[in-house]
Amino acid sequence: MTADSPLPARPATLEDVAAVAGVSRATVSRVINGATTVDPALRRMVEEAVDATGYVPNRAARSLVTRRTDSVALVVSERERRPVSEPFIGRMFSDPYFGRVVSGLLEVLRPAGIQLVLMLADDQSSRDQLLSYLRHGHVDGVVLISSHADDPLPGLLHDTRLPAVLAGEPRRPTPLTYVEADQRAGAQLAAEHLVSLGRRRIGTVSGPQDMPAGQARLTGFLDALSAHGIRDVTAVEGDFTHTGGAAAMKRLLEDRADLDAVFIASDLMALGALPVLLRAGKEIPDDIALVGFDDSSAATACDPPLTTVRQPVEEMSAEMARLLLKQIGSPGEPVPSAIFHPTLVRRRSA
C-alpha cells in the first residue's frame, strides 16, 4: 500500500450506530438482539441508523450472548399414507396456501434478521428426526402447520418447551398459541350467498374429513343451509388438491345431476372441478353457481373467476411470526392466540 492509497474503511460498530441514532449503545444492543421491550420509535431510529452505517452484527458473538440461532422452523406435518391424488411434497409446492404462508412469515421475520428453515414431517421417522433437531437447539422456535386432527406433533412440540405457534386451532387440548381463521363462519358466508341467489339444489365438495379445516367448513355450510330449510344437500369428500377436486366433482354430478349450486371447500379443488362442469355442458353461473374457499391465486385462474371465501393467509402468517417472536423475546410470558374473520369475495362464478 502506498502513502497515497486510502485506508480501507473500518466496519461500523455499535457505537457508530448509537451516535447516528442519538441513543445509547445499550439501546442499540437491545434492538440488535431482538428485545421486544424497546419503544417502537426508538427501534425505528436504530434500524435506520443500522442501514445508514451499514452495520453488520457479528452473529457468532451475538449467539454466545443471546443463546439464539436467529432462525425458526416452519414445520409442515402430514398424515402418513393419506389416500390422495398427489404426493405430499408435490401437493405442498403446488398448493398456493403454502406460498402465502411463507410470504406472510417472511414479511415479519426477514426485517428482524431471522432465517426460516422448512421441515417436513410425514411419518414416524421424520417426526423423530425433527424432534431431535429441535431438542439440539438448532432453531429458536417453530411455526407448525398440521393437517390432521389426531396429529401427535403439537403435544410432542409442547414437550420440547420451545416457543411455538400453530397454524390452526388444535383439536387436542394443548397450551400452545395458535392463529386461526373462523372456518365455520367462512363456510356459512358461502351458504348464505348461494341462498341469496335463490339456489336450492345445492351440493358441496368438502375437504378431507380427517382434517379440522375440512370438518369445520362442511359443518358450517350444512348448518347454515339447514337454518334456511335446505337439508337435502349432496356432499362428496375431496382432498384439497386440483386433481382431487376434478374427481370429486365428477362423482358429485353422477350423484346429483340437477344441481344449481356447489360450494367447493378450496379454490384449488374448484380449479380442478370447473372443467368437469364445463364438459358436462354446465354454464357458470347460469346453470350452476360456484363458490370456493381461500381466495388464492387459483380463484382468479378460474374462468369465470371464482367467487370465494377469503381467509387472510398472509396476514395470519405474519401474526404467527409476531406471536412467535414475542415468545422468543419474553420466555415464559403467556401469548394469546388470534382468530381472524373471513370475508366473501364476489366474482363472476356466483
Side-chain angles (χ1 to χ4, degrees):
M1 180 180 296
T2 67
D4 294 331
S5 299
L7 292 173
R10 65 174 177 81
T13 65
L14 285 179
E15 287 77 9
D16 296 330
V17 177
V20 171
V23 299
S24 69
R25 184 186 187 280
T27 297
V28 173
S29 179
R30 288 165 62 206
V31 172
I32 295 297
N33 289 319
T36 59
T37 56
V38 179
D39 180 83
L42 288 178
R43 180 180 298 279
R44 284 193 296 273
M45 292 169 58
V46 171
E47 290 170 347
E48 291 171 358
V50 167
D51 290 340
T53 60
Y55 175 74
V56 178
N58 185 322
R59 286 191 175 272
R62 177 179 169 185
S63 294
L64 288 173
V65 173
T66 64
R67 298 184 181 276
R68 296 180 192 166
T69 66
D70 289 336
S71 62
V72 300
L74 170 60
V75 177
V76 183
S77 177
E78 166 76 343
R79 178 186 292 280
E80 302 174 56
R81 297 180 297 276
R82 178 189 293 279
V84 296
S85 52
E86 299 173 19
F88 174 34
I89 293 178
R91 293 198 312 280
M92 191 181 71
F93 287 107
S94 64
D95 190 334
Y97 172 78
F98 293 102
R100 297 173 69 191
V101 169
V102 171
S103 176
L105 292 172
L106 291 180
E107 180 183 331
V108 174
L109 296 178
R110 184 177 289 165
I114 307 297
Q115 302 299 314
L116 188 64
V117 180
L118 175 63
M119 306 191 72
L120 310 180
D122 59 347
D123 57 26
Q124 187 59 50
S125 175
S126 59
R127 278 195 293 271
D128 291 342
Q129 292 174 5
L130 166 68
L131 291 169
S132 175
Y133 183 87
L134 298 179
R135 290 182 178 123
H136 280 83
H138 294 296
V139 295
D140 300 323
V142 177
V143 172
L144 173 63
I145 300 175
S146 177
S147 67
H148 54 286
D150 58 354
D151 190 353
L153 202 49
L156 296 171
L157 186 57
H158 176 253
D159 292 342
T160 69
R161 303 301 177 189
L162 268 176
V165 178
L166 305 185
E169 181 179 2
R171 292 303 178 261
R172 292 181 175 181
T174 173
L176 296 180
T177 299
Y178 64 87
V179 175
E180 174 71 288
D182 191 334
Q183 305 289 331
R184 284 177 58 94
Q188 289 167 354
L189 289 175
E192 296 290 344
H193 179 62
L194 292 174
V195 170
S196 74
L197 297 177
R199 308 297 170 123
R200 306 288 293 185
R201 302 184 305 278
I202 300 174
T204 180
V205 174
S206 76
Q209 291 306 288
D210 62 348
M211 294 178 63
Q215 296 167 359
R217 293 176 195 180
L218 178 59
T219 301
F221 185 69
L222 295 179
D223 286 351
L225 291 181
S226 180
H228 288 279
I230 302 174
R231 298 179 179 86
D232 182 18
V233 180
T234 303
V236 173
E237 185 175 350
D239 63 9
F240 283 153
T241 70
H242 180 276
T243 52
M249 190 70 250
K250 184 177 179 181
R251 297 197 306 272
L252 184 59
L253 286 178
E254 291 170 350
D255 291 343
R256 187 81 181 270
D258 67 337
L259 292 172
D260 64 5
V262 178
F263 168 53
I264 301 184
S266 81
D267 294 343
L268 195 60
M269 287 199 298
L271 184 61
L274 189 57
V276 175
L277 291 169
L278 297 177
R279 285 195 297 269
K282 305 293 186 181
E283 295 290 335
I284 310 297
D286 294 342
D287 297 328
I288 295 183
L290 202 59
V291 176
F293 200 108
D294 286 329
D295 195 29
S296 68
S297 57
T300 52
C302 289
D303 185 16
L306 189 66
T307 293
T308 187
V309 176
R310 182 178 190 272
Q311 56 172 344
V313 175
E314 291 85 356
E315 293 92 329
M316 292 163 60
S317 301
E319 183 65 8
M320 285 192 287
R322 283 189 285 267
L323 295 178
L324 185 62
L325 293 183
K326 284 183 181 179
Q327 292 184 43
I328 294 170
S330 303
E333 292 188 12
V335 176
S337 299
I339 297 179
F340 285 70
H341 299 288
T343 55
L344 184 74
V345 179
R346 293 193 61 175
R347 296 192 178 96
R348 291 195 287 120
S349 70

